[in-house]
């Protein structure tokens, strides 16, 4: 398949620069795959489409304030870090700007009052650097104090204190810090909405996949099948696996909230010969799964998702769940109806 098969025209003014006034007041485009029909709703209407036998699967990874601004100690040059992934302890893979100024042995300081600095140890993949942090106090507290939320590059403004709260799901776990981008389909949920879903009988299950910077990296090859995904770490605990597998066994729907939850579920799927069904396996692993048209879903039945960039792997994933032609038709409709696109934008429910 050619990369241009997943292109569409998007007016720049439809790229959401700010979150909706209320999380669940964003718009919701409901897509009925069985009939091809669509409905225009608000996100709080999602309850009308969830069934008591459903299981909502959400990614509870927490976004870290991964963007740091510092000074190269030797020259005083301004340097920007974006933490990509913790390697081990205080060693991190980072993106650095301007990259040409930073080489192994350089030290960058991020604070004047007390120690918080990073020494560059080595070059990483695709222009990244491997660095080791040295600091006083607790790393998480210093990072929270000095770091900024790493908003996506298509949001044309600096992050604010509001983003620390709004570019984070309400169910993000303090013990699951590690994402450099939000699992944005979950941004629409409120505690009240989740409680109402529970009262309706809908089960909720939480998986963890730490979203890496690869989510923003474009597909560069014309033939999409040649594209290599970046690996991301995930884990599923025993209780979550039990809830999901019981739902599947009882004939309920697995409603995945976002493409990260989807990639986690599909990566952890194993076939159970005894009951002739796919199940998820509890445990920790990493995944580079690339889902595009032709893929047969093993676990996910329905998907709550935002609108994705042209030619992106995320657009390819949802085109695999429905089909490319209808997805592009629906996206063109969303453009005409002036839906808001991307991370802070509106949502779709693909039933």
């Amino acid at each position: 398949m050619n990369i241009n098969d997943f292109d569409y025209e998007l007016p720049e003014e439809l790229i959401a620069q700010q979150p909706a006034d209320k999380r669940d007041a964003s718009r919701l485009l409901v897509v009925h795959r069985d009939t091809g029909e669509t409905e225009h709703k608000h996100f709080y209407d999602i309850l009308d489409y969830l069934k008591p036998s459903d299981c909502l699967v959400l990614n509870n990874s927490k976004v870290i304030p991964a963007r740091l601004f510092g000074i190269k100690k030797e020259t005083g040059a301004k340097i920007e870090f974006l933490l990509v992934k913790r390697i081990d302890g205080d060693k991190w893979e980072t993106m650095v700007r301007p990259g040409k100024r930073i080489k192994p042995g350089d030290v960058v300081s991020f604070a004047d009052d007390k120690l918080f600095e990073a020494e560059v140890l080595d070059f990483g993949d695709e222009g990244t650097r491997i660095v080791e942090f040295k600091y006083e106090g607790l790393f998480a507290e210093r990072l929270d104090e000095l770091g900024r939320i790493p908003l996506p590059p298509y949001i044309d403004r600096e992050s604010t204190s509001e983003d620390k709260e709004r570019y984070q799901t309400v169910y993000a776990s303090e013990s699951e810090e590690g994402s450099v981008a939000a699992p944005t389909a979950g941004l629409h949920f409120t505690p009240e909405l989740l409680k109402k879903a529970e009262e309706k009988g809908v089960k909720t299950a939480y998986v963890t996949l730490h979203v890496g910077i690869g989510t923003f990296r474009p597909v560069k090859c014309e033939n999409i099948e040649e594209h290599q995904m970046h690996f991301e770490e995930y884990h599923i605990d025993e209780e979550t696996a039990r809830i999901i597998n019981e739902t599947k066994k009882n004939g309920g729907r697995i409603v995945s909230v976002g493409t990260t939850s989807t990639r986690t579920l599909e990566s952890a799927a194993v076939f159970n010969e005894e009951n002739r069904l796919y199940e998820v396996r509890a445990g920790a692993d990493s995944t580079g799964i690339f889902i595009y048209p032709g893929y047969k879903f093993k676990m996910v039945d329905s998907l709550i998702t935002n609108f994705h960039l042209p030619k992106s792997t995320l657009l390819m994933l949802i085109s695999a769940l429905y089909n490319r032609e209808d997805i592009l038709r629906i996206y063109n409709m969303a453009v005409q109806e002036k839906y808001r696109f991307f991370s802070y934008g509106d949502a779709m429910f693909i039933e």
Side-chain angles (χ1 to χ4, degrees):
M1 291 188 121
N2 191 284
I3 183 64
N4 294 317
D5 294 337
F6 298 90
D7 199 8
Y8 66 92
E9 292 292 329
L10 178 67
E12 191 173 335
E13 63 268 20
L14 295 184
I15 301 174
Q17 299 295 311
Q18 302 285 347
D21 290 340
K22 295 182 179 178
R23 288 178 182 266
D24 62 356
S26 53
R27 296 169 73 189
L28 177 69
L29 180 54
V30 181
V31 179
H32 301 279
R33 282 184 290 166
D34 54 347
T35 64
E37 294 178 354
T38 56
E39 297 180 78
H40 302 290
K41 299 288 184 177
H42 287 90
F43 195 80
Y44 48 71
D45 296 316
I46 192 69
L47 292 171
D48 297 335
Y49 299 92
L50 297 177
K51 304 172 184 177
S53 57
D54 288 344
C55 176
L56 274 176
V57 181
L58 309 105
N59 181 8
N60 66 358
S61 180
K62 185 174 182 180
V63 181
I64 59 174
R67 201 170 170 210
L68 287 163
F69 296 89
I71 300 292
K72 184 177 174 182
K73 290 185 79 171
E74 187 180 28
T75 65
K78 294 181 179 180
I79 304 294
E80 179 183 341
F81 271 30
L82 179 64
L83 307 187
V84 174
K85 183 173 65 175
R86 187 193 294 272
I87 297 171
D88 180 44
D90 294 320
K91 293 180 182 177
W92 286 75
E93 180 182 5
T94 67
M95 294 181 70
V96 180
R97 290 195 305 184
K100 291 181 180 179
R101 295 187 180 180
I102 295 295
K103 61 186 185 301
D106 289 338
V107 176
V108 177
S109 177
F110 303 99
D112 294 326
D113 55 344
K114 57 182 179 177
L115 182 67
F116 192 75
E117 63 185 31
E119 180 182 356
V120 180
L121 303 179
D122 202 354
F123 294 101
D125 296 330
E126 296 190 36
T128 61
R129 301 292 188 275
I130 308 302
V131 307
E132 184 170 17
F133 282 91
K134 298 175 183 178
Y135 50 88
E136 295 177 53
L138 298 175
F139 180 80
E141 290 181 0
R142 298 304 311 279
L143 187 63
D144 190 59
E145 173 191 342
L146 297 168
R148 294 186 188 178
I149 289 294
L151 292 177
Y154 45 74
I155 294 182
D156 189 22
R157 61 176 177 81
E158 290 296 327
S159 62
T160 66
S161 56
E162 182 189 21
D163 293 308
K164 273 199 170 183
E165 186 254 331
R166 290 303 302 273
Y167 195 64
Q168 197 83 261
T169 63
V170 297
Y171 49 80
S173 172
E174 293 291 338
S175 63
E176 299 296 354
E177 291 188 322
S179 283
V180 299
T184 54
L187 297 179
H188 307 282
F189 280 95
T190 64
E192 295 76 21
L193 199 57
L194 288 168
K195 185 177 180 183
K196 287 178 181 178
E198 183 182 348
E199 290 170 349
K200 189 174 182 177
V202 177
K203 293 173 283 297
T204 54
Y206 296 95
V207 299
T208 305
L209 181 140
H210 294 311
V211 188
I213 201 66
T215 192
F216 299 127
R217 284 186 168 143
V219 178
K220 295 180 180 178
C221 37
E222 282 193 27
N223 179 2
I224 68 167
E225 295 174 36
E226 297 174 3
H227 178 67
Q228 297 292 315
M229 296 286 285
H230 286 256
F231 276 74
E232 294 165 312
E233 297 173 0
Y234 74 86
H235 67 260
I236 300 173
D237 65 33
E238 295 283 353
E239 177 64 8
T240 291
R242 183 191 66 78
I243 294 169
I244 293 169
N245 294 336
E246 281 187 2
T247 299
K248 203 75 174 173
K249 186 177 180 180
N250 294 332
R253 294 185 306 178
I254 303 301
V255 180
S256 181
V257 179
T259 56
T260 60
S261 298
T262 300
R263 294 178 67 243
T264 302
L265 291 170
E266 295 299 311
S267 298
V270 292
F271 190 69
N272 186 319
E273 292 285 354
E274 185 177 335
N275 58 25
R276 310 300 296 170
L277 286 172
Y278 277 98
E279 299 178 339
V280 292
R281 178 183 57 239
D285 207 339
S286 62
T287 179
I289 189 172
F290 179 21
I291 298 175
Y292 56 89
Y295 179 85
K296 303 298 182 186
F297 283 82
K298 302 172 180 66
M299 295 303 302
V300 173
D301 300 299
S302 301
L303 174 65
I304 296 170
T305 186
N306 280 22
F307 293 94
H308 304 296
L309 278 76
K311 301 183 180 181
S312 65
T313 59
L314 308 182
L315 183 58
M316 294 168 196
L317 184 152
I318 65 169
S319 296
L321 185 63
Y322 193 7
N323 65 70
R324 184 186 66 85
E325 294 81 3
D326 279 317
I327 286 295
L328 291 178
R329 171 181 62 82
I330 291 162
Y331 265 51
N332 287 327
M333 176 198 303
V335 169
Q336 292 170 9
E337 295 290 333
K338 298 194 183 312
Y339 276 74
R340 301 167 74 242
F341 278 63
F342 307 159
S343 293
Y344 271 150
D346 297 316
M348 294 175 65
F349 179 41
I350 304 175
E351 250 198 328

